[in-house]
Amino acid sequence: MTNPRKKRKVTVYLDPAVEKALVEFAARRDRSQSMIAEAAIASFLSPDNAERREAIVARRLDQIDRRITRMERDVGIAVETLAVFIRFWLATTPALPEPAANAAKAKVGERYEAFVTALGRRLAQGPKLRQEVSEDVPE
């Protein structure tokens, strides 16, 4: 009499690409191809497989939603910061007389490079402005 708990041999045909992926996966995980195939088939036939996939997708979508929310906040901070700076600059910077304007135009490249260097230092050292701005500020 055969033992009902004893595993049985089953022959399946696999596409060469699928077979190659199975061999590589088994080698990476240091597991037998039979064990991996059995687990994959059991997972595929599992009645709760759809619910698990849905939970995984929902969790991933929640992560993406949180990241997008943070990006929207960061972009909003950046836009408002730029707007405040431009308003302040326009309100406080008088127009230069002609000789001084020509001298200032000659210094534009040097000043821009200094700005980019300072920005690079700021981004490298932190903290970022978005970390300094409290999320609890009432609207």
Side-chain angles (χ1 to χ4, degrees):
M1 195 182 309
T2 62
N3 185 353
R5 299 194 58 123
K6 185 177 179 183
K7 293 185 178 184
R8 296 183 183 171
K9 180 180 179 178
V10 176
T11 303
V12 295
Y13 296 96
L14 298 175
D15 185 81
V18 174
E19 192 265 341
K20 180 181 177 191
L22 175 62
V23 170
E24 291 172 355
F25 186 82
R28 273 195 319 270
R29 300 292 176 136
D30 195 28
R31 301 279 189 241
S32 71
Q33 294 176 31
S34 177
M35 189 202 75
I36 293 169
E38 181 180 357
I41 292 168
S43 175
F44 185 79
L45 298 175
S46 172
D48 65 337
N49 188 35
E51 289 86 11
R52 279 189 305 185
R53 278 195 214 148
E54 184 178 335
I56 290 168
V57 169
R59 191 168 46 245
R60 184 71 177 134
L61 287 174
D62 287 343
Q63 291 172 350
I64 291 170
D65 184 53
R66 285 191 301 273
R67 287 179 183 165
I68 288 174
T69 301
R70 280 193 305 266
M71 278 183 16
E72 286 175 345
R73 176 180 172 267
D74 295 350
V75 168
I77 290 171
V79 167
E80 288 301 316
T81 302
L82 182 60
V84 168
F85 172 76
I86 291 170
R87 285 187 195 120
F88 176 79
W89 186 79
L90 290 173
T92 60
T93 306
L96 295 174
E98 191 60 36
N102 291 336
K105 286 179 186 175
K107 296 285 274 179
V108 165
E110 182 181 324
R111 293 178 70 195
Y112 181 74
E113 287 300 320
F115 166 75
V116 170
T117 302
L119 179 62
R121 272 195 314 269
R122 170 73 180 192
L123 292 175
Q125 74 186 17
K128 309 292 185 267
L129 176 65
R130 66 180 171 84
Q131 294 166 330
E132 294 175 0
V133 176
S134 173
E135 291 183 16
D136 300 329
V137 175
E139 302 214 8

